[in-house]
């Protein structure tokens, strides 16, 4: 590693090269100097990107909020939503955040490709189950006459949940790619920093989903 | 009628609906053929590929952004002149432009000027200058930088294609629904507009992230935030604005796309749609965008005024805080764009007052620049001319802005030419003059030779007088009540002003010609105006401390920064131009074709989406995903520049600054200037 990040290098000298909390996110092993340096800029930038992404979701939430009454005579939440299904999706996604945490810990403390891959694979399966449940929900809503083109409210609803779903799909694809990269490269610096960012992304989606569950499903079904 | 293979594309898409459209389309095609022929004639394809298209060097990417910007400027200017001519011919007669074509012209003019002229220009300048100013070797994510350029260029290509195939939107640059809904705009024009904007705003968001992280993480040792040059400060604020302001636009355009493509009801008149949602989101982007456009010019003026007055910037700290305040306030005023759309008076009052508040930090800036010039050693070079004209004209535009910020007045003036005059009054001196000032100022740094001074002055006077003649009459026209976007009118009182405005537009057209001539003459005389040593203006900031053009790695040894205006202080204290004892190898990012692939692929995908060619859309998106994934498997993304290579590069430069004559600032625009400033005796 040659002077890619001199300001970091300069600070490292002062702190003995072992600053375990140099970047936001799950810090890598204390002695992993090279990966640390790579991670600092990449992970920080990813946080900034997530802030930008959060604006997208804020816009979708705001649109949804202004369209609560835009039913245009079509079906509303009480006719279309199944709380049990949404609760199950929430549970699956929360558990997947936990299993991703396990993958991160396996990467940090065990440095084991096998264990990391295992927990990632479990996360992937849970992600796919979530997507399956969501698609089932959508099919159910459409069968009950709640198509996205039926009303402003349904457009906003599908856009908000669908955008989250699209993000989860991207996350699943990303996990799949990382499983291959773990196999090909093992836990090299590139794989580690990518897993760090993927982890942030996955937990971020979890938080957004909690927002969707509360605002769309719980508030929608409140008597 | 749609077919599987070609979607909605058919012979009807060819531009034979008006003679002017046919001519314009042929000019685009001939221009493209001309460029290809010229590159072939120069045998430049290989160099183009390795030095430019696959380069991830921030300096080259910056230059490419500015090239895109100039091409688009030429087109949008031609459109502006056509519109002014029509408004002279359109008095009690249909004139020469059919209404539909006129509507396309003001839509493409606005869209291009904002998204494909202004944005690429300022991003290009930042790309070239900012990393050098903060003492960095590159931006944080060089490859993403080239992908950002790819998205912007793909959008620009879509704009050019829309001139030849099919029609463009007639909904204005802000594309308000429900007019842009399928029910009222059934052809592909709005779709072109949607995808061009979506592509460019994705690119701009990535640029914002990239620049913000670069400034946070890649400053040279000792370059504290409050030691950064003001241009870099505006880069930070502009990047943050981009990170937060671009996503609302992306969401708004994509929702409009969902309305049009999937029969959804976000903004429709019927079935629960609400067009006010669009207008809120659009201006949540649109107002901060105004400051994304103007802050870079403020940054440029801060550099040029200080350099060409040979004085430290007056009130540095207050300038920084003014920049930050403007950036924050810009998010709190968006509603002034629709005072007349029926919210209650108190809401309008709050947003009116918030809007007027922005005048305070802006005034602080103007005073600071004036005080910087006070008792300075002022040289009226071309960048200084732009800065001075800006200060006068911008104050006029600012006061009409405060007028418009009063909701009562806005009820009278909105949708008249008064508004058009106001925002051109802000954007031409406040954005374009700034960019041109920066273009003159940093051109020698980018290419190693100075621009022709005489032609530069001619260009300036054409821009300045052209602007005054073209836009001051519009204030009067607006006060007389002439609505904007009028293709034909019957009020005789408008005509004299319209004629003066067209005269102004002609002068601006000549400014464009003069600019091209200047570039040609400067390239021809480049041996005489060579400034390889790299400091032609007795510069103050770090970018002037390296050769012109700078080496790929920017700094052989990363600079140590001890204060503001580091290089200027170093020169005064004999610390500049030190020859290092030894060099170390430098790691730089390797070239990558990813940007080029994304550019072509996204251009094609945008085209396919516009024309409903679904197989091509899916194919395009797949290629994008595959390219990104394939790249993530590449482990050879870095290139080491060896000590020998660095020593060789630096040796040439060291010889230059040891043997070139130093010149006093009075001679800086003469051919004595070899890029080495003489330090005046204190
Ligand atoms: Cu505004």
């Amino acid at each position: 590693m040659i002077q890619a990040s001199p300001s970091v290098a300069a600070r490292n000298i002062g702190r003995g090269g072992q600053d375990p909390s140099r970047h936001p996110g799950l810090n890598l092993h204390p002695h992993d100097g090279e990966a640390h340096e790579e991670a600092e800029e990449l992970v920080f930038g990813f946080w900034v990107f997530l802030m930008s992404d959060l604006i997208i979701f804020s816009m979708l939430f705001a649109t949804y909020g202004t369209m609560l009454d835009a039913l245009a005579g079509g079906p509303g939440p009480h006719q279309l939503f199944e709380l049990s299904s949404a609760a199950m999706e929430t549970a699956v996604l929360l558990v997947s955040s936990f299993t991703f945490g396990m993958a991160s810990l396996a990467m940090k403390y065990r440095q084991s490709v096998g264990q990391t891959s295992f927990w990632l694979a479990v996360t992937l399966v849970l992600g796919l189950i979530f997507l399956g449940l969501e698609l089932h929900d959508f099919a159910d809503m459409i069968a009950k006459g709640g198509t996205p083109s039926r009303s402003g409210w349904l457009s906003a609803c599908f856009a908000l949940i669908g955008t989250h779903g699209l993000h989860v799909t991207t996350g699943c694809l990303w996990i799949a790619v990382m499983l291959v990269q773990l196999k090909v490269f093992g836990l090299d610096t590139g794989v580690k920093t990518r897993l760090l960012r993927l982890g942030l992304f996955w937990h971020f989606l979890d938080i957004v989903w909690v927002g969707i569950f509360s605002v769309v499903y719980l508030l929608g079904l409140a008597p | 009628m749609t077919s599987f293979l070609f979607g909605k594309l058919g012979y009807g898409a060819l531009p034979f609906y008006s003679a002017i459209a046919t001519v314009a389309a042929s000019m685009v095609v001939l221009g493209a053929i001309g460029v290809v022929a010229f590159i072939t004639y120069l045998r430049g394809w290989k160099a183009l590929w390795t030095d430019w298209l696959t380069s991830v060097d921030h300096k080259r990417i910056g230059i490419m952004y500015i090239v895109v910007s100039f091409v688009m400027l030429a087109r949008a200017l031609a459109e502006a002149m056509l519109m002014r001519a029509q408004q002279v011919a359109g008095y009690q007669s249909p004139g020469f432009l059919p209404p539909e074509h006129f509507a396309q012209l003001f839509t493409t003019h606005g869209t291009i000027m904002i998204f494909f002229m202004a944005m690429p220009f300022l991003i290009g300048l930042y790309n070239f200058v900012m990393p050098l100013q903060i003492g960095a070797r590159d931006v944080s994510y060089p490859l993403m930088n080239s992908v950002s350029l790819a998205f912007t260029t793909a959008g620009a290509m879509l704009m050019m294609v829309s001139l030849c195939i099919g029609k463009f939107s007639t909904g204005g640059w802000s594309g308000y629904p429900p007019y842009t809904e399928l029910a009222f705009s059934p052809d592909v024009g709005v779709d072109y507009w949607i995808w061009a904007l979506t592509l460019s705003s994705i690119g701009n968001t990535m640029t914002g992230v990239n620049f913000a992280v670069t400034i946070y993480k890649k400053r040279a040792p000792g370059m504290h935030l409050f030691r950064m040059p003001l241009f870099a400060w505006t880069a930070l604020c502009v990047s943050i604005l981009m990170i937060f302001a671009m996503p609302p636009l992306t969401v708004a355009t994509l929702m409009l796309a969902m309305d049009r493509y999937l029969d959804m009801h976000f903004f429709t008149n019927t079935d629960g749609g609400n067009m006010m949602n669009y207008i809120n989101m659009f201006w949540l982007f649109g107002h901060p965008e105004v400051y994304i456009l103007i802050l870079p010019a403020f940054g440029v003026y801060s550099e040029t005024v200080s350099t060409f007055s040979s004085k430290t910037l007056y009130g540095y700290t207050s300038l920084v805080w003014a920049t930050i305040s403007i950036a924050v306030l810009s998010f709190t005023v968006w509603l002034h764009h629709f005072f007349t759309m029926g919210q209650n008076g108190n809401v309008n009052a709050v947003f009116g007052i918030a809007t007027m508040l922005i005048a305070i930090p802006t005034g602080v800036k103007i005073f600071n620049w004036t005080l910087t010039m006070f008792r300075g050693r002022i040289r009226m070079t071309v960048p200084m001319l732009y800065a001075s004209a800006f200060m006068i004209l911008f104050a006029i535009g600012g006061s009409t802005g405060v007028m418009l910020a009063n909701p009562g007045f806005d009820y009278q003036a909105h949708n008249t030419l008064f508004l058009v005059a106001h925002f051109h009054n802000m954007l031409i001196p406040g954005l374009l003059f700034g960019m041109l000032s920066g273009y003159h100022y940093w051109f020698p740094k980018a290419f190693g030779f100075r621009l022709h001074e005489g032609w530069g002055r001619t260009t300036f006077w054409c821009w300045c007088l052209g602007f005054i003649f073209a836009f001051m009459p519009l204030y009067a026209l607006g006060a007389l009540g002439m609505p904007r976007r009028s293709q034909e009118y019957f009020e005789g009182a408008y005509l004299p002003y319209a004629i003066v405005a067209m005269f102004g537009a002609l002068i601006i057209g000549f400014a464009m010609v003069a600019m091209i001539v200047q570039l040609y003459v400067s390239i021809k005389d480049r041996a005489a105006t060579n400034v390889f040593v790299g400091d032609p203006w007795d510069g103050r900031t770090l970018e002037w401390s390296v050769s012109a053009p700078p080496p790929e790695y920017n700094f052989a040894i990363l600079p140590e920064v001890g204060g503001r205006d580091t290089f200027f202080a170093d020169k005064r204290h004999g610390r500049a131009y030190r020859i290092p004892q030894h060099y170390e190898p430098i790691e730089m990012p390797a070239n990558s074709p990813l940007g080029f692939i994304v550019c072509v692929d996204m251009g094609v995908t945008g085209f396919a989406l516009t024309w409903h060619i679904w197989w091509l859309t899916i194919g395009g998106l797949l290629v994008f995903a595959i390219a990104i994934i394939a790249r993530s498997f590449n482990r050879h993304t870095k290139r080491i520049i060896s000590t020998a290579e660095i020593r060789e590069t630096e040796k040439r430069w060291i010889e230059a600054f040891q043997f070139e004559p130093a010149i006093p600032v009075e001679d800086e625009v003469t051919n004595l200037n070899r890029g080495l400033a003489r330090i005046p005796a204190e």
Side-chain angles (χ1 to χ4, degrees), chain B residues 224-244:
Chain B
H224 307 158
L225 279 177
F226 273 81
R227 284 178 182 171
M228 286 199 307
L230 229 97
F231 187 67
W233 256 109
T234 61
L236 178 58
C237 292
V238 165
S239 313
I240 294 172
L241 289 181
M242 285 191 206
I243 292 165
F244 292 114

Side-chain angles (χ1 to χ4, degrees), chain B residues 403-416:
Chain B
M403 287 164 77
L404 284 167
N406 181 335
F409 181 80
D410 188 73
Y411 268 75
Q412 295 299 318
H414 85 285
N415 261 348
T416 69

Side-chain angles (χ1 to χ4, degrees), chain A residues 61-139:
Chain A
F61 271 111
T63 306
Y64 181 81
T66 62
M67 291 202 148
L68 285 175
D69 297 325
L71 295 177
H78 288 284
Q79 286 90 53
L80 296 176
F81 291 158
E82 299 281 0
L83 192 59
S84 57
S85 175
M88 191 122 97
E89 284 163 56
T90 311
V92 169
L93 209 58
L94 284 175
V95 173
S96 84
S97 235
F98 172 75
T99 56
F100 202 108
M102 294 304 286
S104 300
L105 293 176
M107 167 174 74
K108 180 177 177 183
Y109 290 112
R110 306 243 178 263
Q111 297 181 37
S112 146
V113 174
Q115 285 195 24
T116 312
S117 304
F118 169 76
W119 286 113
L120 273 183
V122 175
T123 312
L124 176 59
V125 171
L126 289 169
L128 292 174
I129 292 174
F130 172 85
L131 284 175
L133 286 170
E134 191 161 71
L135 284 178
H136 169 265
D137 269 8
F138 282 168

Side-chain angles (χ1 to χ4, degrees), chain A residues 2-4 6-7 38 40-42 44-45 48 51-52 55-56 59-60 63 66-67 70 72 148-152 155-156 159 177 180-181 185 188 190-191 194, chain B residues 137 140-141 205 209 213 216-219 243-244 247-248 251 255 258 262-266 271-274 277 281 284 558 584-585 587 629 632-633 635 638 640:
Chain A
I2 305 139
Q3 296 220 332
S7 55
E38 294 262 315
E40 170 152 356
E41 227 164 314
L42 291 171
F44 177 72
V48 178
M51 289 201 291
S52 197
I55 303 289
I56 290 185
M59 291 295 119
L60 291 165
T63 306
T66 62
M67 291 202 148
S149 55
R150 178 61 192 84
S151 69
S155 298
V177 171
V180 179
Q181 292 203 348
F185 302 117
D188 75 349
V191 170
R194 251 174 224 139
Chain B
R137 292 212 164 107
S140 282
Y141 315 113
T205 313
V209 173
V213 176
Y216 278 125
K217 293 289 184 188
K218 280 199 120 54
R219 278 167 287 135
I243 292 165
F244 292 114
V251 173
M255 281 181 175
M258 284 193 268
L262 303 170
D263 189 28
M264 291 206 191
H265 297 284
F266 289 105
D271 293 318
N274 183 352
N277 280 343
M281 280 193 285
L284 258 175
L558 281 174
E584 276 177 20
E587 190 185 68
I629 292 171
S632 77
F633 279 87
R635 282 294 186 274
K638 301 271 168 74
I640 307 281

Side-chain angles (χ1 to χ4, degrees), chain B residues 237-295:
Chain B
C237 292
V238 165
S239 313
I240 294 172
L241 289 181
M242 285 191 206
I243 292 165
F244 292 114
M246 288 294 160
L249 174 67
T250 314
V251 173
T253 51
L254 286 180
M255 281 181 175
L256 187 60
M258 284 193 268
D259 275 4
R260 290 178 60 89
Y261 284 76
L262 303 170
D263 189 28
M264 291 206 191
H265 297 284
F266 289 105
F267 314 128
T268 51
N269 279 336
T270 54
D271 293 318
N274 183 352
M275 57 93 98
M276 286 313 292
N277 280 343
Y278 177 90
I279 294 174
N280 269 295
M281 280 193 285
F282 185 85
W283 289 110
L284 258 175
F285 144 78
H287 193 83
E289 168 73 10
V290 169
Y291 291 92
I292 294 174
L293 298 176
I294 284 176
L295 285 178

